[in-house]
Amino acid sequence: MIAFVSTADGPQVWQLRDAGPQDLPDLLRLTRDFYDEDGFTTSTVELERNFGALLALVRTAHISLATLGDRAVGFALTTCQVILESGVVAELQDLYVEPAHRGSGLGAALIADAADWARSRGATLLDVVVAPNGRDVGPLLRYYAARGFRDEGRRLLSRTLQTG
């Protein structure tokens, strides 16, 4: 997908495309910025390992990379799984746009791309998990609500598993 975006510097063209292994350096840079901004403690080594696994899962994982010229400026990671009560459900696991490009419509375009990919996989729902990490998530909740997401009142509980 190619689109024009209005910026402070005038109209610019950005592109959304499927990320591949060659994009790993850009994905790591963007994710590191995202995780540092939001207080996630996942190491870069773990991110690299996990991206390697996700990039290999072309049927159940989709990474869309947003570029402006030659520079990657955002990404979205979406996965699908089968849930007994709902059938195929997609989760927008990560959405990040560099601060300088926020408010341009790029985040909404990444969400639309995630929804299109999810529909192509037979998903009937697109979920997003908002992790507070000690921060006020009110703006995020409003952002997603404005894009059609609603709070169903579910709670996500996690248990750390020791690996052997």
Side-chain angles (χ1 to χ4, degrees):
M1 165 198 276
I2 297 175
F4 292 93
V5 176
S6 294
T7 67
D9 299 326
Q12 297 184 3
V13 178
W14 48 257
Q15 180 178 12
L16 297 185
R17 62 175 175 77
D18 293 350
Q22 73 280 3
D23 297 308
L24 189 56
D26 285 326
L27 291 168
L28 288 171
R29 175 183 55 79
L30 291 167
T31 305
R32 184 78 276 142
D33 289 348
F34 173 27
Y35 281 21
D36 290 348
E37 180 181 325
D38 279 4
F40 290 95
T41 59
T42 311
S43 74
T44 302
V45 170
E46 291 172 291
L47 290 173
E48 186 169 8
R49 181 187 66 233
N50 295 340
F51 266 125
L54 287 162
L55 287 166
L57 297 172
V58 295
R59 178 75 186 128
T60 58
H62 174 65
I63 304 170
S64 184
L65 188 65
T67 58
L68 184 59
D70 293 339
R71 181 169 171 78
V73 297
F75 78 99
L77 165 61
T78 311
T79 59
C80 277
Q81 62 181 330
V82 178
I83 307 295
L84 184 58
E85 67 188 67
S86 305
V88 179
V89 175
E91 180 183 336
L92 178 59
Q93 290 191 4
D94 290 296
L95 173 67
Y96 179 74
V97 173
E98 288 182 334
H101 302 285
R102 293 178 187 163
S104 68
L106 187 51
L110 285 163
I111 291 170
D113 180 75
D116 289 345
W117 177 82
R119 271 191 293 278
S120 78
R121 296 302 188 261
T124 56
L125 290 172
L126 178 61
D127 290 337
V128 64
V129 175
V130 176
N133 293 330
R135 300 179 58 175
D136 175 17
V137 295
L140 272 178
L141 295 174
R142 287 188 294 280
Y143 177 84
Y144 285 116
R147 282 146 189 87
F149 291 87
R150 69 183 194 298
D151 186 350
E152 293 183 339
R154 291 181 175 210
R155 301 265 324 234
L156 178 66
L157 307 175
S158 298
R159 176 179 162 189
T160 301
L161 301 175
Q162 301 301 319
T163 59

